[in-house]
Structures are given as structure tokens and as C-alpha cells.
Amino acid sequence: MRFWKSWLIARKEFDFIRIKKSALGISFGLPIGLGVLLPLIIYFEVSRKKVPIEAITPLMGSFAFYFIIIAALIPIYTSVSSIVVEKIERSLEPLLATPTSDREILVGKYIATFTLAIVGTYIGAAIFVTLMDTVTHSSIGYFYFPNTAFDIALFAAAPAASIFSTAFGVLSSSRVTSIQSAQSLSVVPLLPLIILYLMGELDLINLNDATILAYVAIGLAVAAALVFQLSTAVFDREEILTRWK
Amino acid sequence: MIATENLTRKFEGLTAVDGLSFHVDRGEVFGLLGPNGAGKTTTIRMICCLIGKTSGKATVGGFSIDDPDGTMSIRKLIGLVPDNVGLYEFYSAYKNLMYFGRLYETPESRITSNIEFLMKKLDLWNRKDDPVSTYSKGMKQKVAIARALVHDPEILVMDEPTANLDPEAARTIRDTILDLKKEGRTILLNTHNLDEAQRLSDTIGILKTKLLAVGKPQNLEHAIYGRSTVIQLESAGDKVVQAVRDMNPRKFTVEGNAITLELEVPEKETPLIVSAIVAAGGKIKSVNETTGSLEDVYLKLVRGE
């Protein structure tokens, strides 16, 4: 495993994403939009509806979970397209003909997808924290963000969710035989996160709780490690070259 | 440089390549000629270690395609021009070549000098910084050839390099291949273009799942169709025909004033027959040797006639 080769491939992926507006929109537009929209909701609730701040703080806490979902959502598009686009444009064959191992190629794609997802997520989160504290500081009397639960969500669960989603995207795009199937399958990693979020909304679990978020982060990290191993093990260059439509 | 022995590849019960055995010497241009679906691309992919084989053996530069360490060495030895150029359209030609030069682990200084040399040679240098998406098909194909050569490989493998190109672009690519041939590169050329195969190849293999024939283009024509000698006379009278018959040619026919002969060794027999005809009072207008074209050979073999 030569890391410089993976980095070379990652740099090419960055160059590709840089000119791809849809990828940039998903990677940065989505988290930045969320980072602006959520504080606006709180501002509206506190300033206009005069909802007591004590009733708002649980809602604010649960917003952290959105950033875990965003970190998992961004790679669905980028990880699938990084392999699918290579296949459609037939650039995968010359790439596979070079003395580069499957793992080096995949790690390069992981680096690009993960970096983009996490940078986008963190930019959105930074905007979110800044605006949220600006909106709520005078009512609460202290800066609500960052806090332990938010830190765990952002620095442990979000990266794990991103790797999990990236690995799943690579796994699905290298196993199925069409883009549509790859994209449909790649949504699967979002399902457990959405279920967790709904459970939080139904008060079945407390998504503001740092311990629960730590368990979520551990669960996602284990899933990410397993799917990563699986995706590199089943990446079959022959199948991609001969069976893709 | 390349040797295969009973190389076979099956896909879910369908045999794409069946018992293929051939070898390509250093500096030789080997044309693999066959119709669509004949197994040409599958053969190339096995040789380039892109897909595995079902059975048989193949070595490239002495490395076996079965050996995991050998496959990396084989990939370094080969420059591949696939049937579809597969360039990164958002990158300039220069960046495409730079990227692949690095993937092929070529020293940076050599990559830049190779790129400049190749792009100038292929008349691409003036547009080196333009995105590939703005290039014509012919230019893209030239970039694909430059990409295959950027690491200065010993072997060049080309899959239908002139397919879908206009005649002018196709000619430029053929001229480029001829230049590479003059440089002494070992080239494995997949094509279904007979003229291209004949003009560029030292040896031709006709493939239709199995290797139907292999040899020098001229030898293939002779081997499959034989050689005929046509003697045009002022008048093919009985005496002249009898003189020819007395020479015991393998086969001969008389049509009007022309005698067509099939001979074992035309170089030896033709002068003797000409002398016999002259001795019998025949007046010869012309003596020509004819043979089947490569197209005749190809169609005969591929159609199984």
C-alpha cells in the first residue's frame, strides 16, 4: 500500500469535484444551508413566537444529530459518482491498467470523499454554532454550543458516519451493474440514522445525551470498519470492466 | 515479449477466447484481426492483467499473468490504448499525461520531458493546456496514445485505435503507429480493419474465439489461397496447351488465350513452362502471379468456408 498513490488519486478526485457544481452544491451548499436554517428556526421561535428558551434547548441539542446525517449524506453522491463517472467515461480501464493496486485506488477515493464530506459538515457546523450562540446567548446567558454532546456528534459520530457511507457507496457501486442501482443502494447507511432520529423525536432515546451519542459514534465506527474491509475485499475490477452497463 | 499458450477465457459458460496460442517478438507488430465479439478485447485485457483467465498460460516480458507480483511488473511494461480513449475530459491533455506518468511511477523529470516530446511529435503541444473536452476525436486518440507512451513502455497494446475516426484522423494515427514501429516498439494491435492490419503488422493472427490462422500477411494469403500464375498468350493453340500439360503443373485452366496455373514452386516452375510454351511456338504477351487478398483469406476463415 503506497499512500502517495492514493493521495495522487484523491487529488484528481478533488480537481474533478471542484468543477462539478452538483457535487459542490451537495458537499457545501447542504451543510451551509443547514447551518443557517436551523438557527433561523430558533430565532423565529424565540423572538417571534416568544417560546421560552427552556423549551427550545432540547430542540437545539437534537440539531447536532443533523450534522451526523449530513456527514453520511454527502458521500452518497460523491462516492458513487467517483467510481460511476470513471466507468461511464471509460477512464477506469486505463486507470486499472496502471501498476496501482485496488486498495490504493479505493483509499484515494475514500480520502477525497471523506475529506469533502467532513470539511463541508464542519463548515456548516461552524456557521451553525456561531449563529446559534448569537441568537440564544442573550436568552440563555451562556454559549450553548459547543458542548460535550455536540462535540461527540461532530468529531466522533460524523466522521464515522461519513466513512461508513463512503465505504457503502464504494461497495454498492463496485458490485451492482448500473448507476441507478448503485445510488439506490447507497442510501442504505442513512436508514439507521433516520430511525435513530425518529426514535429521538418520539422520546424513545435522548439524542442530546453525550453517552448515547458516544454509543452511536462507536456503532458507526464499527460499521464503517466492517464495510470498509468488505468494500476493498469485494472490489472486483474484472466485474466492473466486464459487467457494467 | 508476449507469449500465450492455450489461453482461454469463459464468461458464465460462454467461451470468449478458446485455446489461444501465439507469441510476439521484441520489436514486432502483431495484428490481432477478427470480427466484433471475436475475443480480441478479452485477449488484450488478459494480457494487460485487467481480467483473469479461465485456463492456459500467458507471459509478458517473462512475467506470468498469474503471478500477483508479476502483474504489477507487466503493467509497467505495457502502455495500453483502450478501445475507448477514457481520458479525464475536465483535465487538459498535459494534466492527463502528468497524472498517468505519475501513476506509472515515472520520475518527474522524465515525465515532463516525455510529455513535451510526445505532444510535439503528435502535434498537440499548442493545445496542451486546453481541456480534453474541447478536442476532436482524432486529437483525443492521439492523447490516448501519448498517455500509453508517457512512461516509455517496452510494449504498446492498442485496441481498435482507429475505430470511429474520420479517414484523415485514422491516417494520422496509422502514421503514428508506423513511426512507433520504426522506433522498434513491440506492438499488439487489435483491429477489424484489414487494410490497417496488413499495412501495420509484421504478423497477423486471425481470431474468432479461436486463433484461425497466424503468419506474415503475405504468407497467410499464399497459405490459404495458394499462388496462381497467369500466362497471357496471343493465341492458346492445342500445341501450346499440350506443351503446358507435358510440364505436369499441379493444376491448370485455359480461358480464351489465358492459361492459369497452380504451381508448387512458381519461382522454379514458371521459367520452365514459359520456355516450353515458347518452344511450342506460343507467343507470350504477359506473365503475372496472383494470389488471394488478405480480405479473401479473412472472410474465408471467419466464415468457415
Side-chain angles (χ1 to χ4, degrees), chain A residues 2 4-5 8-13 15-19 86-87 89-102 104 109 237-239 241-243, chain B residues 9 11-12 41 44-45 48-53 72-73 75-76 78 80 82-91 95 98-100 102-105 147 159:
Chain A
R2 293 157 297 180
W4 70 267
K5 278 216 168 180
L8 183 65
I9 290 163
R11 276 172 52 199
K12 193 271 294 170
E13 295 292 322
D15 287 340
F16 171 67
I17 290 162
R18 208 153 45 89
I19 54 118
E86 292 247 25
K87 182 62 199 172
E89 294 185 352
R90 305 288 191 93
S91 52
L92 203 56
E93 186 163 358
L95 173 64
L96 293 174
T98 65
T100 310
S101 71
D102 292 351
E104 286 159 355
K109 291 187 181 293
R237 54 176 64 209
E238 179 169 325
E239 193 152 336
L241 283 176
T242 56
R243 288 192 57 202
Chain B
R9 174 65 210 219
F11 291 105
E12 292 165 3
T41 298
I44 272 188
R45 284 178 169 171
C48 292
C49 305
L50 288 167
I51 62 171
K53 62 178 176 57
M72 284 293 175
S73 305
R75 287 184 193 143
K76 283 183 193 172
I78 292 177
L80 171 68
D83 60 342
N84 197 303
V85 290
L87 296 162
Y88 296 112
E89 301 257 331
F90 62 95
Y91 263 169
K95 277 196 165 183
M98 203 71 202
Y99 178 62
F100 276 90
R102 287 172 177 154
L103 284 173
Y104 276 105
E105 302 163 25
R147 178 185 59 195
D159 196 359

Side-chain angles (χ1 to χ4, degrees), chain B residues 75-283:
Chain B
R75 287 184 193 143
K76 283 183 193 172
L77 282 177
I78 292 177
L80 171 68
V81 182
D83 60 342
N84 197 303
V85 290
L87 296 162
Y88 296 112
E89 301 257 331
F90 62 95
Y91 263 169
S92 66
Y94 193 92
K95 277 196 165 183
N96 265 284
L97 300 182
M98 203 71 202
Y99 178 62
F100 276 90
R102 287 172 177 154
L103 284 173
Y104 276 105
E105 302 163 25
T106 316
E108 205 77 5
S109 59
R110 230 177 95 204
I111 299 176
T112 49
S113 61
N114 280 357
I115 291 175
E116 187 174 346
F117 173 76
L118 288 165
M119 290 190 87
K120 281 181 175 168
K121 189 177 173 184
L122 293 167
D123 204 17
L124 293 165
W125 187 247
N126 291 339
R127 298 207 37 203
K128 70 184 169 74
D129 296 322
D130 294 348
V132 167
S133 56
T134 64
Y135 284 18
S136 67
K137 270 188 178 178
M139 287 174 77
K140 285 180 185 176
Q141 192 67 350
K142 283 186 192 175
V143 179
I145 291 174
R147 178 185 59 195
L149 293 167
V150 74
H151 61 296
D152 208 10
E154 289 186 46
I155 302 165
L156 191 61
V157 175
M158 308 175 101
D159 196 359
E160 307 279 5
T162 59
N164 305 318
L165 293 182
D166 64 64
E168 194 183 347
R171 179 161 192 169
T172 311
I173 298 301
R174 279 188 207 112
D175 289 345
T176 305
I177 299 170
L178 280 172
D179 286 344
L180 294 167
K181 183 179 175 177
K182 280 178 201 157
E183 284 174 17
R185 305 253 183 195
T186 307
I187 301 174
L188 176 59
L189 174 72
N190 259 8
T191 183
H192 54 227
N193 184 319
L194 295 157
D195 180 53
E196 184 172 289
Q198 193 158 24
R199 271 203 266 171
L200 302 176
S201 310
D202 299 311
T203 308
I204 288 177
I206 297 178
L207 182 72
K208 192 182 173 189
T209 307
K210 290 176 182 234
L211 194 61
L212 302 175
V214 63
K216 309 281 170 205
Q218 212 178 11
N219 293 352
L220 270 180
E221 291 160 356
H222 294 166
I224 306 297
Y225 265 92
R227 298 154 72 183
S228 301
T229 304
V230 180
I231 302 174
Q232 190 69 44
L233 300 151
E234 269 188 7
S235 170
D238 293 343
K239 220 172 151 188
V240 170
V241 173
Q242 188 55 49
V244 171
R245 187 174 288 121
D246 291 345
M247 297 302 292
N248 291 320
R250 192 164 67 187
K251 191 178 167 188
F252 82 99
T253 53
V254 182
E255 261 183 71
N257 291 326
I259 299 174
T260 304
L261 302 136
E262 273 184 32
L263 304 170
E264 298 286 344
V265 190
E267 290 79 6
K268 281 186 181 173
E269 293 171 79
T270 304
L272 297 176
I273 290 173
V274 166
S275 300
I277 289 172
V278 171
K283 288 187 177 168

Side-chain angles (χ1 to χ4, degrees), chain A residues 110-176:
Chain A
Y110 281 129
I111 291 169
T113 307
F114 171 76
T115 306
L116 201 68
I118 222 65
V119 167
T121 304
Y122 285 179
I123 289 173
I127 293 167
F128 168 81
V129 167
T130 308
L131 291 179
M132 201 62 111
D133 282 342
T134 307
V135 167
T136 60
H137 184 258
S138 58
S139 310
I140 305 175
Y142 63 93
F143 291 119
Y144 187 81
F145 292 109
N147 55 46
T148 311
F150 187 77
D151 287 349
I152 291 171
L154 204 64
F155 297 112
S162 183
I163 296 171
F164 176 46
S165 184
T166 302
F168 208 90
V170 170
L171 176 71
S172 54
S173 58
S174 59
R175 293 308 295 173
V176 296

